[in-house]
Amino acid sequence: MELSSINGRTKLVGIIGWPVEHTLSPVMQNEAFKALGMNWRYLPFPTRPSDLPDAMRGIRALGIKGVNLTIPHKEAVLPLLDELSPAAKAIGAVNTVLVEPDGTLFGENTDALGFGEDLKAHGIDVAGKNALVLGAGGAARAVVYTLLEMGASVCVLNRSVDRAEMLAKEMAGKTSGEACAGRLDEIPQKAGWAYLVVNTTPVGMWPAVDASPWPEEVRFKPGQVAYDVIYRPQETLFMAHARKCGAKAVGGIGMLVRQGAAAFRLWTGKEPPLAVMEAAVKMSWGNE
Ligand code: NAP
């Protein structure tokens, strides 16, 4: 993809955040456009919180096709949008905006779509089964909503139990699913209950890779699945422990790539090249 190939027909998308320097999305999306020979580009737009309303008016005015939103804009953007998907509305966060041809700004939460699609890609069917979610932050909101929508019973365990209780109550109300809550140190009592355990805490994330939210003495059983939304490292201590116990372990790179792929599909209407996007993410780690 040479710069000289930018012309009057080039279509633009990008990411709005503050800061945006560390985002993997530009390399992932631009490699996808290149692989499909599309005349599209994806740029970072560093945007202060106070400038977000102007930025959203600006993308519409400039004919930008859509944007991703990252920290700290995912919740603040909601009142600036015209329409929300059911997932974005229930989760209360938007990470992808589509600018429709008439200028309508449509908000979607592709973290939820990406997680759901990745479960399916790994053959993990949660309908009618129990799922334990560790953590109650932003990623947990997308994960809990998706699991309840897919028919799982969910228990949220968090360091701050009040946050877990609020999340469980809110998402159960919005999905008519079943959710309970507890403290993170209740893992030993709850471990055997779950078919799927999802870690949504940052514990074990690079560079502090020698940590796990899961006590080493609590064993996984064969047939259980441990899913870590952390994507760096590709195998966390939590995953390694589950695998050693004979359980299935899945890392967060699939969710990351599939949330980007869902945004690509929404903006372009084309099927995204998943393998190219995954390779681009891994390559960018190698370049650090
Ligand atoms: P967040 O909103 O800050 O929430 C973090 C959660 O983890 C909170 O519930 C917090 O508990 C808990 N926590 C933090 N440090 C902890 C510790 N030392 N011990 C126990 N619990 C701890 O963060 P987030 O945006 O949800 O992100 C969480 C992780 O998900 C990050 O690693 C991020 O990279 C990853 N992620 C991955 C994807 C993907 O596509 N794969 C997408 C989104 C996020 P308290 O409530 O008690 O503070």
Side-chain angles (χ1 to χ4, degrees), residues 2-267:
E2 300 302 323
L3 274 184
S4 58
S5 64
I6 292 178
N7 57 30
R9 287 181 299 280
T10 303
K11 293 188 172 62
L12 192 59
V13 284
I15 181 161
I16 292 180
W18 187 260
V20 285
E21 282 79 4
H22 297 292
T23 174
L24 298 167
S25 295
V27 66
M28 181 163 70
Q29 299 289 356
N30 284 317
E31 286 300 319
F33 295 144
K34 186 169 149 186
L36 298 188
M38 294 169 66
N39 190 4
W40 286 61
R41 297 295 186 281
Y42 185 108
L43 290 179
F45 299 119
T47 305
R48 286 184 176 79
S50 58
D51 288 331
L52 187 64
D54 284 346
M56 298 313 292
R57 276 193 291 275
I59 63 165
R60 181 193 274 137
L62 292 170
I64 290 170
K65 299 295 171 193
V67 285
N68 285 132
L69 290 129
T70 185
I71 291 170
H73 302 314
K74 287 186 184 187
E75 293 91 25
V77 78
L78 260 73
L80 306 172
L81 302 176
D82 303 308
E83 288 174 15
L84 294 175
S85 73
K89 199 181 287 181
I91 295 162
V94 161
N95 75 333
T96 303
V97 170
L98 169 71
V99 186
E100 293 177 0
D102 66 356
T104 298
L105 299 180
F106 171 76
E108 178 59 279
N109 188 306
T110 68
D111 284 335
L113 296 178
F115 176 66
E117 285 177 16
D118 201 47
L119 287 183
K120 286 186 198 142
H122 284 94
I124 302 165
D125 180 2
V126 297
K129 298 188 186 146
N130 299 330
L132 207 52
V133 176
L134 314 180
R141 293 184 69 81
V143 164
V144 171
Y145 170 80
T146 306
L147 290 171
L148 290 171
E149 279 290 295
M150 293 174 113
S153 292
V154 176
C155 190
V156 184
L157 301 184
N158 195 43
R159 185 173 60 178
S160 323
V161 70
D162 50 337
R163 247 184 129 184
E165 282 165 357
M166 263 158 47
L167 176 57
K169 197 171 164 203
E170 191 186 337
M171 290 303 162
K174 285 177 175 172
T175 57
S176 63
E178 276 180 33
C180 65
R183 289 191 322 272
L184 201 56
D185 58 17
E186 290 171 39
I187 287 176
Q189 294 85 56
K190 286 280 185 199
W193 171 83
Y195 158 65
L196 170 69
V197 181
V198 186
N199 173 41
T200 74
T201 77
V203 181
M205 185 169 75
W206 187 88
V209 297
D210 292 331
S212 169
W214 192 266
E216 208 184 336
E217 64 278 11
V218 180
R219 294 187 60 77
F220 283 90
K221 290 179 297 197
Q224 285 185 308
V225 180
Y227 189 112
D228 204 330
V229 303
I230 292 173
Y231 44 80
R232 195 175 182 203
Q234 286 177 59
E235 175 154 291
T236 60
L237 210 56
F238 168 71
M239 290 165 63
H241 177 58
R243 222 189 284 280
K244 276 184 208 143
C245 295
K248 181 179 172 114
V250 180
I253 192 162
M255 176 178 171
L256 175 74
V257 170
R258 287 174 196 280
Q259 66 75 27
F264 182 101
R265 204 180 284 122
L266 188 67
W267 297 325

